[in-house]
């Protein structure tokens, strides 16, 4: 991560290395969570894609559009390349409330509470989670013409943070990723502890 507090911009990159398919043990994890929550067991795991290598590189650039004491907005551009995702995206992130500056290098020790909203548009070239891995093809995959070429994604939520602990609730909405499917969404609750 290269964070430029003076010019209010950030360049970050990451590498994901792992596996997809039954060897990743996601079936056991999802069924365990559903059992713990006394929820119905998820179906369809017999149709998951074959084992394959996961190696992806992501680079993201963020730049301030405007920033005040109680509101800020940042533009973002991102590219993913590898065996799982090949795409490029553009978006914006807005926050309102009591918060530290987005590009500030040191973590605030003060209480923070803010609302946020984020929007993305992504152009998709390849998605192994739908089209199968590069090395081990599966019969349970989709062809390139069945995949939506553009996906819109939006999220909104709230954050409560104090010193090294942060709690975030977020609601995510996404347009269809497969041409014949429908838009969908999910919620997420994060507890973050910074060291």
């Amino acid at each position: 991560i290269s964070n430029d507090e003076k010019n209010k911009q950030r360049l970050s990159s990451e590498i994901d290395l792992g596996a997809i398919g039954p060897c990743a043990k996601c079936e056991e994890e999802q069924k365990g969570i559903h059992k713990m929550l006394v929820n119905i067991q998820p179906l369809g795991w017999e149709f998951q894609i074959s084992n394959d290598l996961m190696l992806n590189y992501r680079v993201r650039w963020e730049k301030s559009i405007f920033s005040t004491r109680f509101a800020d907005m940042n533009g973002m551009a991102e590219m993913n390349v590898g065996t799982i995702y090949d795409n490029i995206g553009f978006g914006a992130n807005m926050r309102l409330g009591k918060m530290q500056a987005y590009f500030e290098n040191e973590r605030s020790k003060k209480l923070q509470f803010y609302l946020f909203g984020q929007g993305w548009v992504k152009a998709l070239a390849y998605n192994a989670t739908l089209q199968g891995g590069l090395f081990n093809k599966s019969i349970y995959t989709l062809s390139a013409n069945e995949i939506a070429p553009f996906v819109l994604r939006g999220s909104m939520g709230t954050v409560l943070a104090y010193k090294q602990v942060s709690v975030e609730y977020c609601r995510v909405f996404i347009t269809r990723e497969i041409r014949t499917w429908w838009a969908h969404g999910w919620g997420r609750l994060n507890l973050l502890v910074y060291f």
Side-chain angles (χ1 to χ4, degrees), residues 29-160:
E29 180 181 357
Q30 186 185 32
K31 286 182 175 179
I33 291 169
H34 278 245
K35 185 176 181 179
M36 181 181 68
L37 296 174
V38 191
N39 202 331
I40 60 169
Q41 284 297 302
L43 303 175
W45 279 104
E46 65 273 19
F47 303 112
Q48 74 174 300
I49 58 178
S50 300
N51 291 328
D52 214 318
L53 170 70
M54 177 180 75
L55 177 60
N56 243 75
Y57 176 71
R58 181 191 74 139
V59 62
R60 178 186 285 185
W61 178 67
E62 299 169 275
K63 174 74 174 144
S64 176
I65 297 171
F66 74 83
S67 178
T68 68
R69 187 172 172 191
F70 297 106
D72 62 27
M73 180 178 234
N74 305 305
M76 301 174 287
E78 179 178 289
M79 182 176 66
N80 290 280
V81 177
T83 65
I84 301 297
Y85 301 111
D86 293 324
N87 58 49
I88 188 166
F90 302 93
N93 179 40
M94 183 165 189
R95 303 182 308 160
L96 300 168
K98 184 179 184 326
M99 66 225 163
Q100 82 178 67
Y102 189 82
F103 296 101
E104 190 172 322
N105 285 318
E106 291 188 29
R107 181 121 182 103
S108 173
K109 304 292 185 197
K110 297 178 181 178
L111 178 69
Q112 299 179 66
F113 179 73
Y114 58 90
L115 305 172
F116 66 88
Q118 187 177 78
W120 279 95
V121 60
K122 283 195 176 183
L124 309 174
Y126 184 75
N127 182 341
T129 66
L130 301 174
Q131 295 174 267
L134 289 179
F135 305 110
N136 294 319
K137 292 300 178 191
S138 172
I139 61 171
Y140 306 114
T141 58
L142 301 169
S143 65
N145 64 353
E146 293 175 284
I147 306 297
F150 296 96
V151 172
L152 301 175
R153 179 175 171 158
S155 60
M156 59 184 174
T158 185
V159 173
L160 176 64

